[in-house]
Amino acid sequence: MRKIIHKVDYDNKIFWVKTSRKLDCYQLSNRMSKIYLPMLTPGLLVDFEVHETSKHKRRQKVSHITQIVMLEPYQILHDIDALRTDMLGVIKRIQHFAYLDFEMSMPAYSKRGMHQAEIIQFGIIITNEYHEILEKKEGYVFKKRHGLLSDRTLKFLNIQQDIYLEQAMPYDNLYHILKDIEETYHPKWIVWGKNDIQVLSDSYSIHDKQSLIDKESFMDLLKLHKDYYGLKDDLGLLKAYQMYYDDSIHQMHDALDDAMMTAGIMKAFIDTMKAHKKSRPQRIDLML
């Protein structure tokens, strides 16, 4: 729906629009309010949709905002179609992708207090811009603190302690693998969520190493999905994969499998963005 804002309550994250002879009230989520609330003022034209479950209630919940327009002087303050086009343009300029996934140590069931997660398994898929796989890297990594894995970790990853101890490599090996990939391909590092970025950053300090990959080299595919589809909550890796592919697949909690799943999601996401761009009708900005 496209409506003119009548009033805004910034403290309670709500705005009103006038319809017929009454005011209708709409609620923004915390996440949406951080993005859109500073833009909203009375007199602006807003194109938005509401959650089906909140329709017919006194205060309806906004599911997503498509466009925000200032009418005098005319200026488009926000346009989701433009953002999506920009997103696709950025991704299409990437020549090499490095899909990165880590499995991390977990505290023992009985442990209390803070736990410092460490990388214990990695999976990396390197592709070119045509999504052709150039290299695969995987392996277990020794922890620096308390070398054995907790029962919780073993159960989650479905591995045995002796297999881990037999196959794990020193952290230095992983560090040099990452360095070689960075220097050879200068890729965009693709992750699902922020956890992998954080545990890698923490690992430099744990192992007294210099940072290898700057934050600008990472792309959070989960965040792209939330921005593109206007999602309120986080989307799990498996659920995202099932959006595009056969829903009978099961997540194995294996770093290389998860990296492969992330690569598959990216390919399908790009195809979806291209299809949306082709099928999108011409917007008439002042249509009420």
Side-chain angles (χ1 to χ4, degrees), residues 147-160:
L148 296 180
L149 300 181
S150 68
D151 289 342
R152 176 184 288 178
T153 307
L154 295 172
K155 181 178 180 181
F156 182 77
L157 297 181
N158 193 29
I159 60 171
Q160 298 178 344

Side-chain angles (χ1 to χ4, degrees), residues 41-267:
T41 57
L44 293 182
L45 173 66
V46 182
D47 187 344
F48 65 101
E49 298 296 332
V50 298
H51 289 284
E52 288 292 331
T53 55
S54 72
K55 287 184 176 179
H56 311 300
K57 294 184 178 180
R58 291 184 60 187
R59 184 181 294 185
Q60 300 182 58
K61 294 182 179 179
V62 177
S63 62
H64 63 271
I65 294 178
T66 304
Q67 194 179 49
I68 302 173
V69 180
M70 180 188 297
L71 299 177
E72 294 184 8
Y74 179 78
Q75 181 182 358
I76 298 177
L77 304 180
H78 165 75
D79 190 316
I80 190 63
D81 288 340
L83 290 177
R84 288 172 172 175
T85 298
D86 290 345
M87 189 183 297
L88 178 60
V90 169
I91 293 175
K92 286 174 67 176
R93 289 195 293 270
I94 298 172
Q95 294 184 330
H96 291 100
F97 299 84
Y99 298 95
L100 177 66
D101 187 86
F102 294 126
E103 297 295 344
M104 310 161 199
S105 63
M106 304 170 70
Y109 290 110
S110 59
K111 181 177 174 59
R112 297 176 180 272
M114 181 179 175
H115 169 73
Q116 175 68 69
E118 293 190 50
I119 298 168
I120 57 170
Q121 187 189 32
F122 68 92
I124 306 171
I125 304 293
I126 302 162
T127 73
N128 58 21
E129 67 267 40
Y130 305 110
H131 310 291
E132 298 168 334
I133 295 177
L134 305 178
E135 289 192 53
K136 295 181 182 180
K137 302 286 186 180
E138 65 174 321
Y140 292 110
V141 180
F142 281 119
K143 292 170 57 190
K144 184 171 184 178
R145 303 167 180 170
H146 312 294
L148 296 180
L149 300 181
S150 68
D151 289 342
R152 176 184 288 178
T153 307
L154 295 172
K155 181 178 180 181
F156 182 77
L157 297 181
N158 193 29
I159 60 171
Q160 298 178 344
Q161 194 83 253
D162 57 345
I163 300 296
Y164 166 73
L165 294 174
E166 179 183 329
Q167 297 183 3
M169 65 178 68
Y171 175 84
D172 280 1
N173 291 31
L174 169 60
Y175 188 85
H176 288 299
I177 288 171
L178 295 173
K179 183 177 182 181
D180 182 60
I181 293 171
E182 178 69 11
E183 292 176 349
T184 301
Y185 297 102
H186 306 289
K188 180 65 76 172
W189 294 84
I190 312 299
V191 296
W192 188 265
K194 297 179 180 178
N195 288 344
D196 296 290
I197 302 174
Q198 186 60 54
V199 77
L200 178 60
S201 177
D202 292 343
S203 75
Y204 300 142
S205 300
I206 293 171
H207 295 274
D208 300 316
K209 298 290 187 182
Q210 289 186 334
S211 177
L212 273 177
I213 308 168
D214 58 46
K215 290 185 178 180
E216 289 71 27
S217 296
F218 284 101
M219 179 176 284
D220 182 353
L221 190 52
L222 167 59
K223 185 178 185 305
L224 294 188
H225 272 69
K226 292 179 73 172
D227 290 345
Y228 190 88
Y229 293 108
L231 302 177
K232 175 184 175 183
D233 300 316
D234 282 353
L235 182 66
L237 180 67
L238 178 60
K239 184 67 70 174
Y241 191 86
Q242 291 172 339
M243 285 172 51
Y244 302 111
Y245 300 104
D246 180 9
D247 62 2
S248 65
I249 191 171
H250 298 284
Q251 191 170 2
M252 303 300 294
H253 299 298
D254 174 86
L256 187 64
D257 284 348
D258 286 355
M260 283 291 294
M261 200 178 294
T262 306
I265 292 170
M266 175 62 91
K267 183 179 184 303

Side-chain angles (χ1 to χ4, degrees), residues 25-56:
C25 183
Y26 297 95
Q27 177 78 58
L28 294 173
S29 67
N30 288 335
R31 178 176 177 273
M32 293 183 70
S33 66
K34 292 176 183 178
I35 301 170
Y36 301 116
L37 200 60
M39 302 183 198
L40 300 184
T41 57
L44 293 182
L45 173 66
V46 182
D47 187 344
F48 65 101
E49 298 296 332
V50 298
H51 289 284
E52 288 292 331
T53 55
S54 72
K55 287 184 176 179
H56 311 300

